[in-house]
Amino acid sequence: MSLSITALKIIGPPIAKRLLELSQIDSKLTNAVLEQAIDTISDELLSPSEARKNLAQKSDQIARQLKADMQPLFEHEARALEPGSRNAILIGVAETLIKARLTSEALAEINFDAEKLKQHLLQANPGAVRFFSQNEAAVYQQAVSIVSHRLIEAAPQVDGFTLSTAATTLQRLEDIANQLKAERERSLQAADEFATRYRGIVQDKLDRLEVFGWPTMDKLTSQQSLSMAYITLSVSGAKEEEEKASFTLMGHERSHLESKRRSRHIDEAICDCQRLVIRGGAGAGKSTLLQWLAVRAATQNFPDKLNHWNYKIPFFIRLRDLAGEKLPTPEQFPALIARNICDQMPSNWVHGYLDRGQALVLIDGVDELPRQERQDFFEALK
């Protein structure tokens, strides 16, 4: 182990010993205990000769600075205390430095904050003030505060401190990066789990046939699977501009002009468009088409020409269910189909799909809106 890192791990005890020597505290029993503790630590971490010599030089330098820092405290605030009390306080400070076992990691953990280091030292040796008077305890705490500020300032004087601190900081950054990565993975997992549940509800709610105006027939057809019974529709129309198009469903009431247009299957016509307007007369299949698109997106089972839409999440909006109400905001889209799980929706879940171009927003029934509400709808849609 290098001296620089070793010194940082054991700098407290040698400073404690030298501080007592400079203060000329004559207590054979106390000094023996301190020396035994210091020597044990040194034997564990230091090889003889040069390492000990260098550590002794640094310890002497910092201890002298500490003695000078604390001199005004004992000359003024503690001048009324007996010499024995002053010695007891210094011995308490020395014991605290030994028990704290300060390391570069510990200093980095408190962000090299002197006040936090003070609290760390006080907690390392709470029994130091056990037999102190109130005044002695107050002076002891002031002394520990002085030690904390001096150690923060003196730490860079230790050879290799910057290298050791950099290594500690890099480790902390790596730990933070790992925590952020784990949180991101948990967030992505939660979003994926919610998407799976939402897709399942969309399929359950919309994968059924509906026939409006025929209550008895609608009761029977609602038990049938839309994805199984659906027949691919044909459309006529053309792109108006890049990625934008308007198509008309080829129903039984198509005009002579429409019949002359080239018709195409719906999946072929819309496969490369991002914004679509589907037109058609009543009963032409507009709602059924949008329902079929929602179910296919939910089950991620589009036919070949649309298989690149399988990554999209469907948001199905029936305007007839919103008569008299405003168009919902994006974060309210899921509630239109899956109200019971919306409280579990991750933050910005809908906007994430919209921003990535992975949302399939299906708005059904513009022609069913009262005329006075249509302009408000178009403004909200923009």
Side-chain angles (χ1 to χ4, degrees):
M1 182 181 293
S2 67
L3 168 65
S4 58
I5 296 179
T6 300
L8 282 169
K9 288 185 176 298
I10 63 170
I11 196 69
I15 292 174
K17 178 180 179 181
R18 186 58 183 147
L19 179 63
L20 292 180
E21 291 174 349
L22 293 171
S23 301
Q24 298 180 344
I25 294 178
D26 184 18
S27 175
K28 293 183 180 180
L29 178 59
T30 301
N31 287 338
V33 172
L34 291 176
E35 287 182 11
Q36 183 178 4
I38 293 166
D39 291 341
T40 299
I41 296 171
S42 300
D43 289 340
E44 291 177 357
L45 300 175
L46 285 178
S47 58
S49 64
E50 186 176 354
R52 288 178 177 272
K53 181 179 178 181
N54 290 341
L55 180 59
Q57 291 175 348
K58 293 297 180 184
S59 302
D60 179 71
Q61 181 181 356
I62 297 174
R64 290 182 182 277
Q65 291 171 335
L66 269 178
K67 185 175 184 298
D69 292 341
M70 287 192 287
Q71 186 172 349
L73 173 66
F74 289 107
E75 289 180 350
H76 300 287
E77 284 85 346
R79 64 180 180 272
L81 295 179
E82 296 292 333
S85 296
R86 175 170 96 44
N87 291 347
I89 291 170
L90 286 172
I91 291 173
V93 170
E95 289 178 340
T96 297
L97 282 171
I98 293 172
K99 291 183 178 181
R101 297 294 292 268
L102 290 177
T103 66
S104 57
E105 291 86 353
L107 295 179
E109 187 66 28
I110 62 173
N111 295 320
F112 307 100
D113 185 299
E115 182 59 31
K116 290 182 179 179
L117 177 57
K118 172 187 173 182
Q119 298 304 320
H120 175 77
L121 292 174
L122 292 175
Q123 292 172 10
N125 188 24
V129 296
R130 182 180 305 167
F131 302 108
F132 283 178
S133 66
Q134 185 173 353
N135 288 341
E136 291 170 340
V139 173
Y140 165 78
Q141 291 186 5
Q142 292 181 65
V144 171
S145 179
I146 292 171
V147 169
S148 301
H149 283 84
R150 174 51 58 190
L151 288 180
I152 293 296
E153 292 180 10
Q157 300 174 18
V158 180
D159 295 337
F161 173 83
T162 301
L163 179 61
S164 178
T165 302
T168 302
T169 303
L170 287 174
Q171 181 61 52
R172 292 180 66 193
L173 290 175
E174 183 178 354
D175 292 341
I176 292 172
N178 289 335
Q179 292 176 6
L180 291 175
K181 181 180 178 181
E183 289 177 5
R184 174 173 173 76
E185 289 176 351
R186 286 193 294 269
S187 176
L188 291 174
Q189 182 179 356
D192 289 343
E193 290 175 352
F194 183 84
T196 299
R197 294 185 64 190
Y198 175 76
R199 288 180 187 274
I201 293 174
V202 171
Q203 179 185 8
D204 182 63
K205 292 283 185 69
L206 299 181
D207 193 11
R208 60 187 67 182
L209 292 172
E210 292 183 351
V211 179
F212 297 103
W214 292 64
T216 304
M217 184 64 71
D218 189 48
K219 184 176 181 180
L220 293 172
T221 57
S222 65
Q223 301 174 18
Q224 308 303 314
S225 170
L226 171 65
S227 55
M228 295 295 293
Y230 186 78
I231 299 174
T232 301
L233 299 174
S234 295
V235 296
S236 66
K239 286 188 177 181
E240 299 174 2
E241 58 184 67
E242 187 65 24
E243 297 183 342
K244 183 177 179 182
S246 176
F247 293 117
T248 301
L249 290 175
M250 303 292 286
H252 65 280
E253 296 180 352
R254 64 179 183 270
S255 67
H256 176 69
L257 177 61
E258 287 175 329
S259 66
K260 290 183 178 180
R261 297 178 182 175
R262 185 174 69 89
S263 66
R264 293 177 287 170
H265 285 166
I266 186 66
D267 54 336
E268 176 186 347
I270 69 176
C271 64
D272 56 352
C273 297
Q274 290 190 356
R275 287 180 291 171
L276 302 169
V277 175
I278 304 296
R279 300 179 300 175
K286 301 184 299 298
S287 296
T288 304
L289 169 62
L290 296 186
Q291 205 172 315
W292 177 81
L293 290 172
V295 172
R296 287 288 187 175
T299 57
Q300 299 178 289
N301 191 29
F302 276 107
D304 290 343
K305 291 186 181 297
L306 287 172
N307 59 14
H308 59 288
W309 283 21
N310 283 328
Y311 65 87
K312 294 181 181 291
I313 200 83
F315 300 108
F316 191 80
I317 304 172
R318 282 196 180 101
L319 293 181
R320 66 172 175 270
D321 295 337
L322 301 173
E325 300 179 17
K326 294 182 179 180
L327 185 71
T329 58
E331 58 268 24
Q332 295 172 324
F333 288 173
L336 301 176
I337 293 290
R339 182 180 302 275
N340 288 344
I341 67 169
C342 285
D343 287 345
Q344 301 171 16
M345 182 173 66
S347 177
N348 295 319
W349 186 77
V350 177
H351 284 283
Y353 281 99
L354 289 168
D355 293 341
R356 295 191 298 270
Q358 295 178 338
L360 182 59
V361 183
L362 305 162
I363 302 176
D364 180 36
V366 177
D367 57 338
E368 298 178 37
L369 283 177
R371 188 173 298 277
Q372 64 271 21
E373 294 183 14
R374 290 183 190 176
Q375 189 57 42
D376 292 338
F377 160 75
F378 286 126
E379 289 300 320
L381 185 61
K382 289 178 183 180

